[in-house]
C-alpha cells in the first residue's frame, strides 16, 4: 500500500489517496501514471516517513518538480520567512525579533 497525491495545474496538492504498492503495475503502467491518467491530473507518490519527496503531501502543499519535493504552505509569521532547502520546510526567521 502506498499514498499518492493529485496536483492541479499550479502543482498544488488537491487530494491524497491510498493506492496499490508502488512496485505493482496497473494495466502495465506505473501507479503514478495510471492514477494520473484515470483522474486527468498529475499524480505523485508520497510517503508518511518522508523517504521520498522530502515531506508527506497534504492538501494545499506545492509540488516542486525541479527538486522533486512536496513543500508545505508558507506560514504567516509576521516577519521574514526562510525556506530551508535541505528539508524543504518553511521556518520562521526569528532573528528579526531578537535583534541578531
Amino acid at each position: 500500500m502506498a499514498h499518492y497525491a493529485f496536483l492541479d495545474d499550479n502543482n498544488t496538492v488537491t487530494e491524497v489517496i491510498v493506492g496499490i504498492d508502488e512496485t505493482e503495475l496497473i494495466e502495465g503502467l506505473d501507479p503514478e501514471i495510471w492514477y494520473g491518467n484515470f483522474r486527468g491530473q498529475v499524480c505523485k507518490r508520497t510517503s508518511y516517513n518522508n523517504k521520498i519527496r522530502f515531506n508527506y503531501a497534504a492538501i494545499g502543499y506545492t509540488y516542486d518538480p525541479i527538486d522533486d519535493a512536496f513543500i508545505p504552505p508558507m506560514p504567516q509569521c509576521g516577519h521574514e520567512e526562510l525556506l530551508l532547502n535541505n528539508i524543504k520546510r518553511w521556518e520562521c526567521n526569528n532573528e528579526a525579533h531578537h535583534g541578531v
Side-chain angles (χ1 to χ4, degrees):
M1 170 179 340
H3 296 86
Y4 298 89
F6 291 97
L7 310 176
D8 68 11
D9 292 338
N10 296 315
N11 284 337
T12 301
V13 176
T14 60
E15 184 178 5
V16 179
I17 64 164
V18 176
I20 68 166
D21 190 73
E22 68 275 5
T23 60
E24 298 179 40
L25 298 177
I26 306 171
E27 298 174 356
L29 296 174
D30 174 274
E32 285 183 351
I33 294 169
W34 192 92
Y35 288 130
N37 290 344
F38 183 77
R39 286 282 182 89
Q41 287 181 281
V42 172
C43 178
K44 297 290 180 182
R45 189 166 67 91
T46 187
S47 170
Y48 269 130
N49 59 19
N50 303 329
K51 288 193 175 193
I52 63 164
R53 300 190 170 114
F54 292 87
N55 298 294
Y56 180 73
I59 293 172
Y61 278 45
T62 302
Y63 174 70
D64 177 350
I66 294 170
D67 289 331
D68 193 27
F70 288 110
I71 301 173
M74 187 186 309
Q76 298 300 315
C77 298
H79 51 81
E80 299 282 326
E81 286 86 16
L82 173 68
L83 176 62
L84 298 180
N85 289 326
N86 62 334
I87 59 174
K88 301 299 180 193
R89 294 183 194 155
W90 293 101
E91 181 177 289
C92 292
N93 183 353
N94 292 326
E95 291 179 9
H97 288 304
H98 291 78
V100 177

